[in-house]
């Protein structure tokens, strides 16, 4: 930043990287977003999280990610989606989720990844079935029964987004592999999308989780 003096006033300004400078603090206190809009004569707050589909820049990597998700929609299975913070991973899955027919797919989203294996079972079971179980063996049966109920009885495919998956322990991947073993590991009736930072891809090449990969 730099200082600009005018009479008795001495205000600090910050370069925004756009060729303009705005007063420091104009976006750091209540009403700051409105002041930015007024300063740049914008119609609404810029860089908000609630980006609509028509506002998303369709880069080649973004289009490829959407194409792969749409392929997964047809085939079911597990997909790994990685990228650095701010790359647009959540925006991508939000757009994909919004495109799904609610009569054919039901979206489950959770970023809760810093938990024990048992809590992971409990959380996944609660998300899928709204039931409370405590023993791991009961949780396993309940999760698989819940998935079967969605697919066979309701005729709806569960789509499960596991965000912040780079924070999972290796045991989470091993247990997830067990949970998703249906009919002698011959079919996968759900869609699972693991979302995380780029180093997750390297972790999944480690010998202890290679079978999941």
């Amino acid at each position: 930043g730099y200082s600009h003096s005018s009479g008795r006033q001495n205000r600090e300004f910050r370069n925004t990287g756009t060729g303009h400078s705005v007063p420091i603090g104009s976006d750091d206190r209540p009403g700051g977003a409105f002041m930015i809009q007024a300063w740049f004569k914008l119609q609404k707050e810029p860089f908000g999280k609630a980006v609509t589909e028509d506002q998303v820049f369709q880069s080649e990597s973004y289009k490829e990610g959407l194409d792969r998700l749409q392929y997964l929609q047809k085939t079911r299975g597990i997909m790994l989606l990685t990228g650095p913070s701010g790359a647009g991973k959540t925006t991508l899955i939000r757009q994909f989720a919004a495109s799904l027919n609610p009569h054919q797919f039901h979206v489950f989203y959770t970023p809760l990844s810093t938990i024990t294996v048992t809590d992971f079972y409990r959380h996944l079971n609660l998300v899928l079935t709204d039931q409370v179980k405590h023993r791991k063996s009961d949780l396993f049966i309940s999760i698989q029964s819940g998935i079967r109920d969605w697919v066979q009885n309701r005729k709806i495919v569960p789509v499960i987004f596991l965000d912040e998956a780079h924070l999972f322990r290796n045991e989470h991947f091993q247990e997830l592999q067990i949970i998703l073993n249906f009919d002698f590991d011959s079919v996968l009736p759900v869609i699972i999308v693991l979302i995380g930072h780029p180093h997750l891809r390297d972790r999944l090449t480690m010998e202890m989780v290679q079978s999941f990969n």
Side-chain angles (χ1 to χ4, degrees):
Y2 61 91
S3 296
H4 171 76
S5 299
S6 177
R8 295 183 178 179
Q9 294 182 340
N10 186 5
R11 302 182 65 189
E12 287 190 354
F13 283 70
R14 176 174 58 212
N15 193 306
T16 64
T18 61
H20 300 82
S21 297
V22 297
I24 286 180
S26 63
D27 58 345
D28 300 329
R29 56 181 185 263
F34 175 77
M35 293 180 67
I36 289 179
Q37 290 176 232
W39 182 273
F40 290 105
K41 297 180 175 59
L42 302 175
Q43 295 181 352
K44 58 183 178 180
E45 179 186 356
F47 314 118
K49 287 191 173 183
V51 180
T52 59
E53 180 179 343
D54 60 315
Q55 295 173 324
V56 174
F57 173 66
Q58 300 281 343
S59 65
E60 289 303 317
S61 59
Y62 190 91
K63 291 177 182 177
E64 181 182 353
L66 195 57
D67 287 343
R68 294 193 180 199
L69 284 167
Q70 290 169 346
Y71 175 77
L72 191 67
Q73 176 183 345
K74 300 174 184 177
T75 61
R76 305 183 195 180
I78 304 175
M79 175 177 171
L80 176 64
L81 177 64
T82 62
S85 297
K89 300 184 297 296
T90 307
T91 302
L92 176 63
I93 63 171
R94 189 165 58 234
Q95 180 179 345
F96 172 67
S99 71
L100 296 173
N101 186 336
H103 299 292
Q104 297 177 334
F105 301 91
H106 188 88
V107 173
F108 301 91
Y109 171 85
T110 176
L112 188 59
S113 56
T114 55
I115 52 179
T116 65
V117 167
T118 303
D119 280 338
F120 175 68
Y121 268 85
R122 290 172 180 161
H123 181 61
L124 188 59
N125 178 66
L126 187 62
V127 166
L128 286 168
T129 70
D130 287 327
Q131 297 180 9
V132 177
K133 303 286 183 181
H134 298 286
R135 295 174 55 190
K136 186 177 177 180
S137 57
D138 294 335
L139 288 163
F140 172 77
I141 294 172
S142 181
I143 291 171
Q144 286 211 334
S145 297
I147 291 174
R148 284 195 174 97
D149 177 58
W150 277 101
V151 176
Q152 297 175 2
N153 299 331
R154 307 190 199 190
K155 308 300 181 185
I156 293 177
V157 177
V159 181
I160 305 172
F161 294 106
L162 300 176
D163 206 350
E164 308 296 343
H166 57 278
L167 299 176
F168 275 165
R169 302 176 184 178
N170 291 333
E171 292 83 356
H172 287 93
F173 299 111
Q174 296 166 345
E175 296 295 337
L176 189 58
Q177 182 177 0
I178 294 171
I179 291 171
L180 299 177
N181 187 330
F182 287 86
D183 299 333
F184 298 95
D185 205 18
S186 62
V187 62
L188 186 56
V190 298
I191 294 173
I192 303 283
V193 181
L194 297 166
I195 306 144
H197 290 181
H199 67 264
L200 175 58
R201 187 181 299 274
D202 297 328
R203 274 186 62 199
L204 291 178
T205 63
M206 297 172 60
E207 185 176 355
M208 62 185 65
V209 290
Q210 202 167 39
S211 59
F212 177 80
N213 187 34

